Amino acid sequence: MTAVLDQVKDAAYAAVGVNLLVTDAIVGREIPAPEFAEEHTALARKQATETLTEFRARFEPRAVEFEGRLPEQVAERLATNRTKAWDFIGIDAPAAAEKPAAKKPAAKKAGTKKSAAKKA
């Protein structure tokens, strides 16, 4: 039961911390907490930063893969806005999140099926 309570506590700190990080980013400075809650807000911010960093490390490769399937202008816009959003709340990019070359699907020859059908 203790493990479950620890998970719930960590999730609660992370959720509150994400709200604190976003609020801090919107206001442009760290919002001071009441003296009795300073320890908890510091822990919540730390927990949220760790959680969002892990999330971004898992999310970034999939986002880049998805963008590779989109038209170039759309992909660039998505990448730019995604990076701006992460930078806005202060979450650094993972080290391996470099953008690989976009894979283009191989073009199929239009006449291949028709010419094969005519020969048969």
Side-chain angles (χ1 to χ4, degrees):
M1 186 65 171
T2 305
V4 173
L5 290 176
D6 287 342
Q7 288 178 342
V8 170
K9 185 173 81 172
D10 288 343
Y13 273 120
V16 170
V18 168
N19 286 322
L20 287 169
L21 290 176
V22 171
T23 302
D24 292 346
I26 290 170
V27 173
R29 62 181 171 82
E30 190 172 292
I31 303 295
E35 193 173 309
F36 68 89
E38 284 179 0
E39 180 182 339
H40 295 290
T41 56
L43 183 59
R45 283 185 176 103
K46 180 180 178 247
Q47 187 78 21
T49 302
E50 291 172 1
T51 302
L52 288 174
T53 301
E54 290 174 17
F55 176 75
R56 185 173 185 187
R58 279 191 252 150
F59 174 77
E60 204 70 26
R62 287 166 183 80
V64 170
E65 179 183 325
F66 174 71
E67 289 165 358
R69 299 177 189 168
L70 298 172
E72 189 174 329
Q73 288 180 329
V74 175
E76 287 176 9
R77 176 76 48 99
L78 283 175
T80 301
N81 290 338
R82 186 181 72 252
T83 304
K84 283 181 183 179
W86 284 115
D87 291 344
F88 181 72
I89 57 175
I91 303 300
D92 295 328
E98 296 176 14
K99 192 172 187 177
K103 295 179 184 177
K104 299 285 182 178
K108 295 182 181 179
K109 294 182 180 178
T112 306
K113 289 183 180 179
K114 289 181 182 178
S115 61
K118 288 180 182 178
K119 289 180 182 179

